[in-house]
Amino acid sequence: MTVAYIGLGSNLGDRLGYLQAALAALSARGLEPAGVSSVYESDALGPPQPDYLNAVVSVSTLLSARDLLEALKAIEAELGRQHRQRWGPREIDLDLLLYGDEMLEEDGLTVPHPEMTKRSFVLMPLLEIAPGLDLPSGEPAAAFLERDPAGIRRFGPLSAD
């Protein structure tokens, strides 16, 4: 079994509903979240758009990193994700952040997620469920988190209800 961390995000429609539906869809695929962070609201990156809700979950899986990524993309499609523009608004976004201690760079798959150490809206929920986490590089994830990052607010709990 490999422990993987998945980032969830939404900034269109029923944002919290999309995150809850993604959590339920993971469970339905046998990817029962072992750890579920709080939900955080953050200012959007990229073009002007609504604020995001973000969370991180951990799962234990026998799937390969590629198969897990494909499962995440299938869940996005099931939940109605529309691909509009890079960095643009989205109904649901599921990112494979970490897959055990593996460092992978393949066509369409990079683990650890290449932007995660630059995004406090990913690091805050990640460190909430894995406070002492070291990245595959050996560096502590907490070393990348800004102190009191601007534009990020704790929104509340996440459940599949």
Side-chain angles (χ1 to χ4, degrees):
M1 292 288 254
T2 300
V3 175
Y5 292 89
I6 300 165
L8 291 72
S10 175
N11 76 334
L12 288 180
D14 180 2
R15 301 174 303 162
L16 184 58
Y18 277 116
L19 297 184
Q20 291 168 333
L23 196 63
L26 287 167
S27 295
R29 280 188 152 65
L31 297 165
E32 190 64 43
V36 179
S37 77
S38 299
V39 176
Y40 291 81
E41 187 171 40
S42 65
D43 298 340
L45 299 176
Q49 57 188 296
D51 291 346
Y52 271 89
L53 290 186
N54 297 283
V56 171
V57 300
S58 65
V59 299
S60 292
T61 183
L62 293 172
L63 294 175
S64 69
R66 172 70 60 190
D67 289 343
L68 179 55
L69 178 65
E70 288 175 7
L72 299 180
K73 296 303 171 198
I75 290 170
E76 287 179 347
E78 287 170 14
L79 297 180
R81 166 130 186 216
Q82 302 293 313
H83 293 274
R84 295 171 178 84
Q85 68 184 79
R86 184 176 169 94
W87 308 106
R90 54 201 72 177
E91 293 81 5
I92 188 68
D93 187 32
L94 300 177
D95 289 327
L96 179 55
L97 303 174
L98 294 165
Y99 182 82
D101 290 329
E102 292 198 33
M103 297 176 82
L104 303 168
E105 193 155 344
E106 303 171 2
D107 186 36
L109 172 64
T110 303
V111 176
H113 189 285
E115 300 294 321
M116 69 177 273
T117 58
K118 301 174 191 163
R119 296 177 172 168
S120 293
F121 61 82
V122 171
L123 292 171
M124 287 179 73
L126 175 64
L127 289 166
E128 180 184 319
I129 62 172
L133 181 71
D134 286 336
L135 301 176
S137 63
E139 299 167 286
F144 295 93
L145 181 62
E146 299 172 41
R147 184 181 305 266
D148 301 321
I152 301 173
R153 304 156 296 281
R154 188 173 180 284
F155 188 81
L158 176 62
S159 67
D161 299 338

